[in-house]
Amino acid sequence: MSAVPAPQSEPHGAPEDPATTEPTGSSESAEATPAKHVPVMLRRCLDLLAPALAAPGAVVVDATLGLGGHSEALLTTFPSARLVAIDRDPAALKLSAERLAPFGDRATLVHAVYDELADVLARLGIPKVQGVLFDLGVSSMQLDEADRGFAYAQDAPLDMRMDQTTGISAAEVLNTYPPGDLVRILRTYGEEKYARKIVDAVVKQRVKEPFTNSARLVDLIREVLPQAAKRTGGNPAKRTFQALRIEVNAELAAVEGAIPAAIGALAVGGRIAVLSYQSLEDRIVKQAFAAGAANTAPPGLPVVPEQYQPRLKLLTRGAELPTEEEIAENKRATPARLRGAERIREEAL
C-alpha cells in the first residue's frame, strides 16, 4: 500500500462478459479523451452521495479509481470535498494522477486494494468519511489493453492481474492448479455448468503444452461445449474468463472485506454507493447492506434498545438499473447494479 506520486500540482461485472464488446466494470477507455469517458450511472451515483458531501471538509473515498471518471465528477460537483482514491493498478493510478492534477491537494491517490480501505484512512489520519463509492469489476482500460489478457475477443497473454507487479497470472492458474480446484473455480466464480468438461480438456492439453494465450483457451472451450450451449448466452468462454479473473485477483474476498470496512468508516450521515456487474458481487453487497439495516435485538422485546437499532438506512429499493438511454449511450453499463445506503447510527458500545 503506497501513496502515488502525482504531478507537481497534485499531491498525489448470469455472469457478465469480460470482453471488449461486453465487459464488466468501469466504462472508461484508456484511448478516449476525458470528454469521451462515460462513467457508469454517474448522475445517479452523484445524487446518492450528494446529501453527505455538500458540507465543507467532507471526505469521499473512490475505492475503485480506474481512469478517474467518477473521481473527477466528485471533485467537480462537490468543490469543498476532499478525495481519497484507491486502485491496485499502477497504470490506472498514473493516468488518473494526470487527469486529477488540476484539483491539486484535494485529491490523494493511493496504491492499494480496496479491502485495505481502513488501513489507508488510518495512515492518512482520517477517522471518518462522508462518502464511499465502489465501481466493482474490471475496468475498461484493463479490457481494452490486449496485453492484459482480460478479454476473450482478442488473442493476448493469459495474465488478468489487475496489479501486474504481484500475484499469479491466469496462465499459472490454468497450468498448475489441480483439476478439482479448477472445477470449483469455474463453477463457483463463473457459474459454468460445463466446468468438468472444460477442465478435463484443459488438463489434457496442458500436459502437451502449457497455456499462454487467450485464443487457445477460447478455441478449446468452443470445441468441448455442446452445440446447444454455444447457441445462446454470448461467447461461450465468458464464464471461464470471469472465473479465472476473479480467482487471480481474489475479487470476491476483497469485496467481502471492503464493504463492511467502508460502512465502518462512514460518519453518521455518511453515504455509500456500490456499482456491481455480476451476481456474485451484488449478492455480497446486498447481504452487507441488509445486515446493517436490520435490528439485532433478541426476538420478543417490546422496545428495541438503542444498541440493537439498525446502523444503515437503505437508499435504493433493491438494486437500481441503468436507464435505456444510458445503455444506448454506453453498452458497458448494461449489467450494472447500483445499491446505496446511509449511516444513521454509530456502533453500539
Side-chain angles (χ1 to χ4, degrees):
M1 179 178 67
S2 59
V4 176
Q8 187 65 38
S9 61
E10 196 242 344
H12 144 206
E16 313 302 343
D17 265 334
T20 51
T21 54
E22 298 179 63
T24 63
S26 168
S27 64
E28 300 165 285
S29 167
E31 299 302 320
T33 63
K36 293 182 179 179
H37 287 168
V38 187
V40 172
M41 298 182 75
L42 175 60
R43 175 44 53 192
R44 186 61 182 130
C45 289
L46 295 174
D47 289 345
L48 280 174
L49 295 172
L53 300 182
V59 178
V60 59
V61 177
D62 184 345
T64 46
L65 173 63
L67 286 176
H70 284 108
S71 282
E72 182 179 49
L74 287 166
L75 289 164
T76 302
T77 305
F78 308 106
S80 63
R82 175 186 174 189
L83 171 80
V84 176
I86 298 170
D87 207 290
R88 69 170 75 184
D89 188 338
L93 286 162
K94 181 179 179 181
L95 290 170
S96 291
E98 297 172 1
R99 180 175 190 166
L100 302 179
F103 296 98
D105 60 6
R106 291 179 58 210
T108 300
L109 278 59
V110 181
H111 181 214
V113 184
Y114 43 69
D115 63 354
E116 299 176 278
L117 184 149
D119 292 338
V120 170
L121 294 178
R123 189 159 62 84
L124 294 173
I126 301 172
K128 292 290 182 179
V129 301
Q130 284 64 48
V132 183
L133 173 66
F134 287 89
D135 186 11
L136 300 173
V138 61
S139 77
S140 290
M141 181 192 69
Q142 293 159 343
L143 289 166
D144 292 342
E145 293 183 354
D147 62 355
R148 303 298 291 267
F150 287 98
Y152 49 72
Q154 54 190 338
D155 191 23
L158 278 169
D159 192 320
M160 298 194 191
R161 290 173 296 166
M162 293 180 179
D163 182 351
Q164 291 185 305
T165 68
T166 187
I168 64 171
S169 68
E172 291 175 272
V173 171
L174 275 181
N175 294 322
T176 65
Y177 274 30
D181 287 348
L182 287 176
V183 171
R184 172 185 57 79
I185 289 165
L186 265 60
R187 284 178 177 166
T188 303
Y189 299 156
E191 300 177 294
E192 174 55 78
K193 63 181 179 179
Y194 297 105
R196 175 62 66 181
K197 272 183 173 291
I198 294 170
V199 169
D200 286 346
V202 166
V203 171
K204 182 177 179 180
Q205 290 299 317
R206 76 186 187 183
V207 173
K208 300 177 182 178
E209 181 184 353
F211 284 85
T212 58
N213 279 54
S214 58
R216 183 179 170 212
L217 178 59
V218 172
D219 290 343
L220 177 146
I221 293 169
R222 289 187 185 278
E223 289 174 9
V224 302
L225 290 190
Q227 285 298 322
K230 292 186 282 188
R231 284 195 292 266
T232 60
N235 193 303
K238 68 180 182 181
R239 290 174 290 275
T240 296
F241 272 63
Q242 174 178 295
L244 289 172
R245 190 199 83 217
I246 290 173
E247 171 67 15
V248 166
N249 297 289
E251 289 179 44
L252 296 185
V255 175
E256 286 174 345
I259 303 303
I263 293 170
L266 286 176
V268 172
R271 292 185 166 207
I272 178 173
V274 184
L275 282 162
S276 304
Y277 295 85
Q278 41 97 347
S279 60
L280 300 173
E281 293 172 341
D282 183 56
R283 188 177 304 129
I284 294 169
V285 179
K286 176 183 178 180
Q287 291 171 349
F289 282 12
N295 78 66
T296 57
L301 293 181
V303 178
V304 178
E306 177 75 15
Q307 64 265 34
Y308 299 127
Q309 294 283 355
R311 295 173 297 142
L312 294 180
K313 178 178 71 175
L314 302 184
L315 300 174
T316 52
R317 180 175 296 180
E320 292 189 3
L321 310 181
T323 63
E324 292 181 2
E325 291 77 13
E326 178 168 12
I327 292 171
E329 178 186 3
N330 177 18
K331 188 177 182 182
R332 293 181 171 183
T334 303
R337 302 292 182 269
L338 174 63
R339 295 181 186 270
E342 179 181 351
R343 185 68 182 261
I344 58 173
R345 190 169 279 102
E346 292 287 3
E347 296 283 356
L349 297 177

